[in-house]
Structures are given as C-alpha cells and as structure tokens.
C-alpha cells in the first residue's frame, strides 16, 4: 500500500522536550526502570500543588462549565486579566484585546498562524522555548535566531538582532523571564529591542509566563508597559506561577499601536472563533488566581523551596569539573555549559540518551532549544532537595565517566 506521510509543513518542526530521549525513557520505564525526569517543568509531579482556592472555585463552577463561552473567553476572567495588565502598567487594554486560550501554547500557535505568509521571518531567541520556533515554521514562516550572550548573563545581543532584520522580518519574540536560561532582562535591554521594533515596524511578542517566578528580590518589567507606539502581543497564563499546568489556562493581550493591525486582529478573531472557545473549567480558574493570595512569593522567598532548590542545583552542577552555569534569576530551569575541551560532544542528543541509559536521569540537550552548539543542556530544578542531590550526583558520575573515556580533564 502507498505509505501515509506526515504533512511537509512538519518538516522543520521539532519539540525535543518530548523527543527521542523521552521515547527512550518511556521504554525504560516499561522495563521497570525508575527515571528521574528533569526534562519538563511539570510542577504537579514534584509536589507543587495549585492554590486550594483555585481548585475549590473550579469545582464550584463545574456545573456551569458544560457550554461554549464567547470565543475569546468568559467576561470575568478577561476582566481579571485586564486588571492585571493595569497592575503591570500596560495602558489602554480593553476586554476585546484579551483572548483566553488552552494555555499560552495554543495562543502562540494562533498568533503565528494569523500573521505569517510563506517567506515571512520572525526573530526568535537562541536558546529559545522551542514551541516558538516550531510555531513560526508550522505557519509557513522562517524563524531567524538571534543570539543571547551567555557572557552577559544570557541577555539578548542587540547588535546580532539588528543585523538579522531584513525586509521580510515581521516580528520579534522576547521570552522574559527566559526559558531555558532563567535570565531576566533589564529595562534598558527591553527599550533597545522596542526601538528596533519601532524603526522597522515590527510586532513584539512578549512571552512572560514566568513573570512572578523571580528570585533574590528581582522585579519584572512587562515590555508592553514601555511604549504605546509599537504593537505588542503579551502572553501569560496559570501553568507556572500558579502550578496549574494541566488546567491549560492562558491569555494573550494585544496592546500598543493597534490602528494599523485591524486586519491581523480580524484574523486572530477568526482563529479564536474556529476553535469555539478555550476549555471552560480552566477559564474559571483565572479570576480566582489573579485576585487571590500570591503563594508563588513564598516559594521564591530567600528560604522558599524553589530558591533553595535552585541554589542547591547550581552549587552541585558548578562543582563538576568543566561545568559552568549562569545562575538563574527567574523561572524553573538552568542551562549549564559543558566545556568542549573537557566534553568533546559531537551529538548532544546522543549524549543525553547515553546519560539516560547509564544513570536514569532525563535532561534535554541544548540544541533542542535551538542553541548553536552541542555544549549545553537544560535541567529542571523542581525535585525536592534529596532527589535533586541524587540526580545531580548521577549527572556528576556520568560526566566523570565521560571524562575518563575521552581522556580529558578540566
């Protein structure tokens, strides 16, 4: 019979967070192995529960959640998002500017599908959250990766960004706080990016899903609060700050210079209508979450669980010969570097699979985040301290064996 092939639109689409290494881990589990999974920020499996009041309100409203809502979402949670934009100093946002989605992920794909034609380019950070690159490619566009500078704390290289803008560039993606590096961008960098967008009439897509997961007293500046003459599309949700990954409750806010974007906004409305609405129980969680006690503050406090685990993982990893790591200021991840002279890695996906097979620890290789060289990996520091010590110890043991096999040393 004639083979049934996948669409050619998927040729340049990948999502290595759940890629071949994850498939290998699944097979190992089927054989009875216990895998320490540090590949994905799935908070619930590590004992990070959503606030009780969110759960109670979802249950209380479940009897009214069986029908479709407005394609953009229920009024009350969109109103709560509008109030949140005011707290973030984003001006002139109305209810009609807010779209609720099945997580921010659905809205990222929707935003790219509504914008891009074949050959259009979007500047995306390297490293990035790979859904952004995948969404651009799936929509027929071309992702162009601008470099974030590890030596500067993983801040965007503005000069590199500037030289990669062409007549085909439509938008700039900014992930702040950043996944996978944990970087937090200062106002000065954000203003420089906005100036590039202004000069070249580009949309800024601001992925701010970790805007409350901040350490060491850091504060987050929303890009859309810094200008009103550039168009911004800001994405956020409950998955991380409220430990509600499975509720799939996210939002997208269109703000700034919207007068020249009526046709694009019409396209977004069309796409929102085609999926009918976001899941309704998740919508009911939004108002309660944004208006309730912000328990994330306890987790990122100086002695909070996330802070302690970040510090522990960073200390243990950087004690390994040939491993360095910029300490995250935000989010749930770190992106350590393996000195190529000590770890001569040709294929970092194979490297990660070898570590998984030997030590039963699942990580994600740096190239899975569109990083330019096979010399990094991403680690999730969500396990409790005892499990984190075990995991980092296994990583250290594997790397020690790798150095011995290759006759290298730090």
């Amino acid at each position: 019979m004639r083979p049934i092939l996948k669409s050619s639109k998927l040729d340049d689409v990948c999502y290595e967070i759940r890629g071949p290494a994850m498939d290998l881990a699944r097979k190992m589990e089927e054989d009875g192995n216990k895998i320490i999974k540090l590949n994905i920020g799935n908070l619930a499996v590590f004992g990070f529960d959503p606030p009780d009041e969110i759960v109670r309100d979802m249950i209380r409203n479940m009897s009214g959640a069986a029908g479709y809502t407005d394609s953009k979402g229920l009024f009350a949670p969109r109103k709560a998002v509008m109030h949140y934009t005011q707290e973030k100093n984003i001006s002139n946002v109305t209810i009609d500017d807010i779209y609720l989605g099945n997580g921010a992920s659905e809205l990222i794909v929707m935003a790219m599908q509504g914008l891009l034609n074949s050959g259009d380019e979007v500047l995306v950070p390297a490293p990035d959250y790979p859904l952004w690159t995948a969404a651009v490619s799936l929509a027929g566009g071309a992702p162009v990766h601008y470099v974030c500078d590890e030596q500067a704390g993983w801040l965007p290289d503005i000069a590199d960004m500037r030289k990669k803008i062409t007549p085909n560039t439509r938008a700039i993606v900014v992930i702040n706080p950043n996944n996978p590096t944990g970087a937090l961008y200062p106002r000065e960098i954000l203003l420089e990016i906005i100036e590039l967008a202004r000069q070249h009439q580009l949309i800024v897509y601001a992925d701010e899903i970790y805007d409350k997961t901040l350490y060491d007293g850091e504060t987050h500046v929303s890009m859309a609060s810094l200008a009103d003459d550039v168009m911004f599309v800001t994405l956020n949700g409950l998955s991380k700050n409220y430990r509600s990954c499975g509720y799939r409750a996210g939002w997208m806010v269109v703000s700034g210079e919207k007068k020249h974007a009526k046709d694009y906004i019409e396209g977004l409305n069309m796409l929102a209508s085609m999926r009918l609405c976001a899941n309704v129980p998740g919508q009911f969680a939004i108002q309660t979450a944004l208006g309730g006690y912000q328990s994330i503050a306890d987790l990122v406090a100086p002695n909070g669980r996330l802070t302690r685990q970040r510090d522990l993982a960073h200390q243990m990893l950087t004690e390994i010969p040939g491993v360095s790591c910029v300490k995250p200021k935000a989010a749930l991840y770190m992106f350590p570097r393996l000195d190529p002279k000590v770890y001569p890695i040709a294929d970092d996906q194979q490297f990660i699979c070898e570590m998984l097979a030997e030590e039963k620890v699942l990580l994600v290789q740096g190239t899975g985040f569109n990083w330019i060289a096979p010399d990094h990996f991403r680690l999730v520091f969500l396990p409790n301290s005892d499990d984190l010590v075990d995991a980092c110890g296994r990583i250290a043991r594997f790397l020690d064996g790798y150095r011995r096999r290759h006759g290298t040393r730090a």
Side-chain angles (χ1 to χ4, degrees), residues 103-181:
S105 299
E106 180 193 39
L107 297 167
I108 289 170
V109 174
M110 183 189 299
M112 295 297 99
Q113 292 283 357
L115 178 72
L116 298 176
N117 294 310
S118 179
D120 286 346
E121 298 174 355
V122 177
L123 295 186
V124 181
D128 73 334
Y129 177 56
L131 177 63
W132 278 105
T133 293
V136 172
S137 296
L138 186 62
V144 177
H145 292 100
Y146 64 85
V147 174
C148 295
D149 184 358
E150 188 170 15
Q151 299 303 312
W154 288 117
L155 297 182
D157 183 332
I158 303 298
D160 186 64
M161 186 182 292
R162 181 182 294 110
K163 74 181 182 182
K164 288 176 176 173
I165 295 174
T166 75
N168 294 325
T169 307
R170 301 292 307 281
I172 302 173
V173 173
V174 179
I175 306 172
N176 177 44
N178 186 263
N179 172 10
T181 66

Side-chain angles (χ1 to χ4, degrees), residues 293-324:
Y293 178 71
Q294 303 301 298
S295 54
I296 184 65
D298 300 328
L299 294 169
V300 299
N303 198 39
R305 180 180 165 184
L306 283 174
T307 303
R308 287 185 280 110
Q309 291 171 192
R310 176 203 62 160
D311 293 346
L312 175 62
H314 185 265
Q315 177 185 341
M316 293 192 68
L317 289 172
T318 54
E319 286 175 349
I320 301 171
V323 179
S324 59

Side-chain angles (χ1 to χ4, degrees), residues 92-343:
N92 299 318
V93 173
T94 71
I95 290 290
D96 281 342
D97 298 321
I98 297 167
Y99 300 75
L100 304 187
N102 297 303
S105 299
E106 180 193 39
L107 297 167
I108 289 170
V109 174
M110 183 189 299
M112 295 297 99
Q113 292 283 357
L115 178 72
L116 298 176
N117 294 310
S118 179
D120 286 346
E121 298 174 355
V122 177
L123 295 186
V124 181
D128 73 334
Y129 177 56
L131 177 63
W132 278 105
T133 293
V136 172
S137 296
L138 186 62
V144 177
H145 292 100
Y146 64 85
V147 174
C148 295
D149 184 358
E150 188 170 15
Q151 299 303 312
W154 288 117
L155 297 182
D157 183 332
I158 303 298
D160 186 64
M161 186 182 292
R162 181 182 294 110
K163 74 181 182 182
K164 288 176 176 173
I165 295 174
T166 75
N168 294 325
T169 307
R170 301 292 307 281
I172 302 173
V173 173
V174 179
I175 306 172
N176 177 44
N178 186 263
N179 172 10
T181 66
L184 181 67
Y185 302 163
R187 178 185 297 263
E188 294 74 21
I189 287 287
L190 300 178
L191 287 170
E192 289 188 70
I193 296 172
I194 289 170
E195 181 57 30
L196 287 180
R198 180 181 291 120
Q199 292 172 7
H200 298 276
Q201 300 183 51
L202 306 177
I203 300 175
V204 174
Y205 289 93
D207 183 341
E208 300 183 349
I209 195 79
Y210 297 96
D211 68 339
K212 291 177 183 264
T213 309
L214 310 170
Y215 306 102
D216 308 323
E218 296 282 355
T219 57
H220 175 265
V221 177
S222 184
M223 285 195 80
S225 70
L226 299 177
D228 57 12
D229 61 337
V230 170
M231 184 174 175
F232 297 93
V233 178
T234 304
L235 299 113
N236 210 322
L238 302 188
S239 291
K240 309 303 182 179
N241 294 329
Y242 299 91
R243 289 87 66 201
S244 301
C245 299
Y247 294 171
R248 310 313 299 136
W251 57 86
M252 176 172 70
V253 179
V254 180
S255 66
E257 175 50 68
K258 294 175 283 190
K259 293 192 299 291
H260 296 89
K262 291 181 180 179
D263 196 58
Y264 174 51
I265 292 170
E266 181 180 321
L268 292 178
N269 294 340
M270 185 184 305
L271 290 168
S273 297
M274 286 171 61
R275 53 90 204 243
L276 296 176
C277 69
N279 86 86
V280 182
Q283 292 188 48
F284 278 122
I286 293 173
Q287 182 179 17
T288 302
L290 293 179
Y293 178 71
Q294 303 301 298
S295 54
I296 184 65
D298 300 328
L299 294 169
V300 299
N303 198 39
R305 180 180 165 184
L306 283 174
T307 303
R308 287 185 280 110
Q309 291 171 192
R310 176 203 62 160
D311 293 346
L312 175 62
H314 185 265
Q315 177 185 341
M316 293 192 68
L317 289 172
T318 54
E319 286 175 349
I320 301 171
V323 179
S324 59
C325 183
V326 176
K327 195 170 188 178
K329 294 183 178 181
L332 309 171
Y333 319 98
M334 51 188 64
F335 201 59
R337 178 179 184 270
L338 301 168
D339 185 340
K341 295 178 181 178
V342 182
Y343 304 99

